[in-house]
Amino acid sequence: MASPVRVWLNRTYAENVFFMDQLRRNPADRAVEIHATHGDPDSPVLAAADTADLEPEGLSPAGYVEYALAQCARRGIDVFVPRLHQSAVVAHHAEFEAAGTALLAPPPEAVALFRDKVIAYEAVRAIGVPVPPWWRVRTADELVLAVEELEAGGHRACFKPASGAGGVGFRMVTRDPFSLAHLNGFPSPSVPLPLVVEALRAAEEPVDWLVMPRLEQPEVSVDCLTGPDSRVRLAVGRTKNGRRRGFTLHEQWLAPARRIAEAFGLHHLSNVQFRMFGDRPVLMDVNTRPAGGLHQLALCGINVPWAAVRLALGDDPGELEPPFLGQDYAVVSGPRPLRPVSLPHQRPEPAAVTTPTPTAAQAPATAHTPAPAAAHAPATSAPVGLT
């Protein structure tokens, strides 16, 4: 019998409990043991893992690499899926390989390129993929000029950090004065331009923002699985239009995503996002990691996390096509168990894995203790079909 595959996910999104579920339910019926680390003891990812550790806080990127190498040796990790400090980790891929751990991540050059959205837009435009107009701004005066140019063209301006992920820092600019309309109902991403200008002029340091037109729906996220030969094995689009979600294999979305993944060597799992600018799709963002919604492709009859792990281990799954496209669906929250307040939720370690004395910076392993039935958190979401 083949030994279990040990997979580690570090400080990842709560939605990746579904990524973990799919690894365990792989079509090869291969045993998979999952290790998870996080800074939040109440992350449902820790409770869903077979073994778990709290990550030490305050580590530099270099310090985190040392911690990660120690985790891989201590836990006997076969495949590491890094999110936190991904750039630093992939820069040391040779050391992880020497330790017997494969990194499920692109090479350092690709990760570095797509950390900066302006550099990424310039590179992507150079290979013929359409991008929206953009301005890089660092001061209040630069912001006002960019907004005025966009508004003169009939567009609504928005801004976001030049380096970031997950929509953090995204805001839309409005000329409406601040009033009770901004305080009624749910919080809005719209902010009055005078307030933004005032905040920038009062700031002690310049910002680094990307200002661009507000792009329209549909939003299409293309999940790509790419081999170390830079050939795409799988590309499927997930569509978002308000609450409604769906899937697409239309080449207007898939062809530019493949071009980006192959041209820049986005090995293993990546996610390329598009929206509409006028009547054509343009690039919105590129993620050099598995998307939080990757598990939704299970509705198309494919287990992408398992295919990615196979590829990382050198077992090429070949070109993959979904046998069907799932029906439209919505995403709703649901409960997931949490581990007890003070104890990691984990199974005994395999006897073959040696465990050195943990340092003060590492949370010690503790025997499995069942979580109390009341310890649930609606922190994750699952797709629900629309009828």
Side-chain angles (χ1 to χ4, degrees):
M1 177 180 291
S3 60
V5 178
R6 290 281 290 169
V7 180
W8 173 24
L9 285 79
N10 76 334
R11 205 172 297 206
T12 192
Y13 304 112
E15 270 194 311
N16 274 332
V17 294
F18 303 117
F19 186 105
M20 298 158 71
D21 291 344
Q22 289 182 356
L23 287 181
R24 293 190 178 104
R25 296 195 302 265
N26 66 79
D29 201 25
R30 179 81 181 269
V32 176
E33 294 180 354
I34 299 173
H35 181 57
T37 59
H38 209 285
D40 179 4
D42 289 334
S43 167
V45 171
L46 295 182
D50 299 300
T51 58
D53 282 323
L54 288 176
E55 292 188 343
E57 297 293 339
L59 290 181
S60 67
Y64 192 89
V65 170
E66 292 183 10
Y67 163 78
L69 285 166
Q71 282 281 311
C72 289
R74 177 187 178 199
R75 297 291 187 177
I77 300 300
D78 298 303
V79 178
F80 177 20
V81 188
R83 190 199 68 82
L84 182 67
H85 292 309
Q86 186 190 59
S87 295
V89 168
V90 297
H92 292 264
H93 62 93
E95 294 169 52
F96 285 93
E97 183 178 350
T101 300
L103 296 180
L104 203 156
E109 299 80 12
V111 174
L113 173 66
F114 289 103
R115 284 188 68 192
D116 188 305
K117 299 183 193 305
V118 171
I119 295 174
Y121 274 14
E122 290 171 344
V124 165
R125 183 173 59 181
I127 65 168
V129 174
V131 298
W134 80 88
W135 288 257
R136 188 170 205 156
V137 306
R138 293 183 170 86
T139 67
D141 291 340
E142 291 175 349
L143 173 68
V144 171
L145 286 174
V147 171
E148 288 177 346
E149 286 197 50
L150 282 167
E151 290 178 342
H155 305 294
R156 184 174 182 184
C158 61
F159 62 86
K160 58 185 177 182
S163 178
V168 174
F170 172 81
R171 297 292 187 275
M172 292 183 292
V173 176
T174 177
R175 294 282 186 168
D176 297 333
F178 187 76
S179 67
L180 283 177
H182 291 90
L183 302 178
N184 291 330
F186 293 104
S188 166
S190 296
V191 291
L193 179 60
L195 293 185
V196 182
V197 169
E198 180 183 349
L200 285 175
R201 288 183 172 150
E204 297 180 358
E205 298 179 357
V207 297
D208 187 9
W209 287 348
L210 196 67
V211 177
M212 55 194 295
R214 183 183 183 276
L215 303 176
E216 301 300 326
Q217 292 183 331
E219 178 180 322
V220 177
S221 295
V222 181
D223 294 307
C224 295
L225 176 63
T226 306
D229 57 359
S230 294
R231 182 169 57 85
V232 172
R233 307 299 198 269
L234 170 77
V236 181
R238 290 181 289 111
T239 64
K240 301 178 185 179
N241 201 337
R243 181 188 293 272
R244 182 172 289 269
R245 310 291 178 94
F247 304 101
T248 180
L249 294 177
H250 199 293
E251 285 298 310
Q252 73 171 340
W253 312 104
L254 270 55
R258 286 196 200 95
R259 193 179 313 160
I260 291 170
E262 293 177 348
F264 301 108
L266 290 175
H267 302 167
H268 303 295
L269 289 171
S270 61
N271 175 259
V272 186
Q273 299 174 352
F274 301 91
R275 274 198 174 219
M276 299 299 292
F277 180 58
D279 59 356
R280 66 172 183 167
V282 295
L283 178 71
M284 185 169 68
D285 209 352
V286 175
N287 295 310
T288 61
R289 53 168 175 77
L294 178 70
H295 64 278
Q296 294 162 13
L297 293 184
L299 295 177
C300 298
I302 45 178
N303 187 326
V304 183
W306 177 246
V309 166
R310 286 182 58 192
L311 190 59
L313 292 173
D315 179 18
D316 196 329
E319 293 194 14
L320 303 173
E321 287 282 345
F324 54 86
L325 292 184
Q327 71 180 84
D328 286 359
Y329 62 100
V331 174
V332 296
S333 296
R336 294 287 295 204
L338 297 181
R339 67 181 189 175
V341 173
S342 60
L343 296 176
H345 172 99
Q346 53 190 24
R347 300 174 186 170
E349 296 181 31
V353 178
T354 58
T355 307
T357 302
T359 64
Q362 296 171 325
T366 310
H368 167 66
T369 302
H376 285 72
T380 58
S381 57
V384 174
L386 295 175
T387 57

